[in-house]
Amino acid sequence: MGQKFTTDEETLIDIYSEFLANFIHYGDPNTISDNVKPELANLNLVPWKPIDPRDLQTMVFSTTETLECKIGIRQKQCDLLDDIGYYNVPYMNRK
């Protein structure tokens, strides 16, 4: 009954899981562990840089695009929230 994933989706899940597990275990998502799945062993992970307010990058995980860090993702929406102040948007300021 479970979810059926395509091969591309399974690969994407594995890549994201590897980044997440590396971040949790090593504090760095870019470290490749010794027990990585064989199909990911030769994966050249795109460097996922620490947050820098002067250079905001977003890691894009996709089955249709190359794994990469992009700058300015949803910049117009972010600018709008900056302009109106996100504290004025009720669902974004829940505790």
Side-chain angles (χ1 to χ4, degrees), residues 24-37:
I24 292 168
H25 188 266
Y26 301 106
D28 179 1
N30 302 303
T31 302
I32 296 179
S33 63
D34 293 335
N35 59 354
V36 68
K37 289 185 173 186

Side-chain angles (χ1 to χ4, degrees), residues 54-65:
R54 298 172 309 254
D55 182 25
L56 294 176
Q57 296 190 13
T58 302
M59 179 63 78
V60 177
F61 294 90
S62 172
T63 59
T64 59
E65 295 181 39

Side-chain angles (χ1 to χ4, degrees), residues 49-59 69-73 75 78 82:
K49 297 179 183 178
I51 290 178
D52 180 346
R54 298 172 309 254
D55 182 25
L56 294 176
Q57 296 190 13
T58 302
M59 179 63 78
C69 282
K70 291 186 176 181
I71 296 173
I73 297 289
Q75 190 62 50
C78 292
D82 286 343

Side-chain angles (χ1 to χ4, degrees), residues 11-41:
T11 300
L12 181 64
I13 290 166
D14 289 342
I15 291 170
Y16 183 79
S17 297
E18 186 68 16
F19 268 114
L20 186 60
N22 291 342
F23 180 70
I24 292 168
H25 188 266
Y26 301 106
D28 179 1
N30 302 303
T31 302
I32 296 179
S33 63
D34 293 335
N35 59 354
V36 68
K37 289 185 173 186
E39 59 270 21
L40 297 179

